[in-house]
Amino acid sequence: AYFALQVIYARRQHRISPPRTTGHPEFERIFRAQVNCSEYFPIFISLLWVAGIFFHQGVAAACGLLYLYTRLRYFQGYASAAQGRLAPLYASARVLWLLLGLAVAGLLAHFLLP
């Protein structure tokens, strides 16, 4: 919701009416950052859910908070400069891989161990 509000504020600030998605470079960076975060959200929620159910809720929750923090840093970095998104992007990808590993480990333990 925070990212969507930032897009709304940028639209107002730069006078870019929907459905336009181009205009001022600052608006375009904010818009792309919001869209990129939205694209990854279903993957994140799915992995968080499976890791929480089959591995451990506390560990999954900690990873979820870390992921949300890295995406916030990604959004802030991308909003200021396109190169500012790279380090947080890689960090959030590592957290997603960790959640994937936890989910797979939990599923394997659940279905393969007696």
Side-chain angles (χ1 to χ4, degrees):
Y2 170 77
F3 300 155
L5 287 174
Q6 295 307 306
V7 171
I8 292 169
Y9 298 147
R11 280 188 184 281
R12 290 179 184 160
Q13 180 182 4
H14 299 293
R15 294 181 173 85
I16 299 172
S17 298
R20 287 186 46 212
T21 59
T22 59
H24 194 276
E26 181 183 5
F27 165 75
E28 289 181 12
R29 287 193 311 270
I30 291 171
F31 179 78
R32 282 304 317 158
Q34 187 267 335
V35 170
N36 291 349
C37 290
S38 296
E39 290 169 348
Y40 276 91
F41 198 69
I43 298 167
F44 163 66
I45 288 295
S46 301
L47 291 174
L48 182 69
W49 179 68
V50 174
I53 289 174
F54 292 101
F55 188 78
H56 190 273
Q57 289 179 1
V59 174
C63 289
L65 289 173
L66 182 60
Y67 177 80
L68 292 175
Y69 175 74
T70 60
R71 288 315 276 194
L72 175 64
R73 300 291 302 157
Y74 169 84
F75 185 88
Q76 292 170 338
Y78 204 168
S80 62
Q83 292 301 319
R85 76 190 195 284
L86 293 177
L89 175 67
Y90 298 142
S92 66
R94 284 191 292 271
V95 175
L96 282 179
W97 280 109
L98 176 60
L99 278 171
L100 177 64
L102 297 176
V104 169
L107 286 168
L108 289 174
H110 179 77
F111 289 109
L112 296 179
L113 296 178

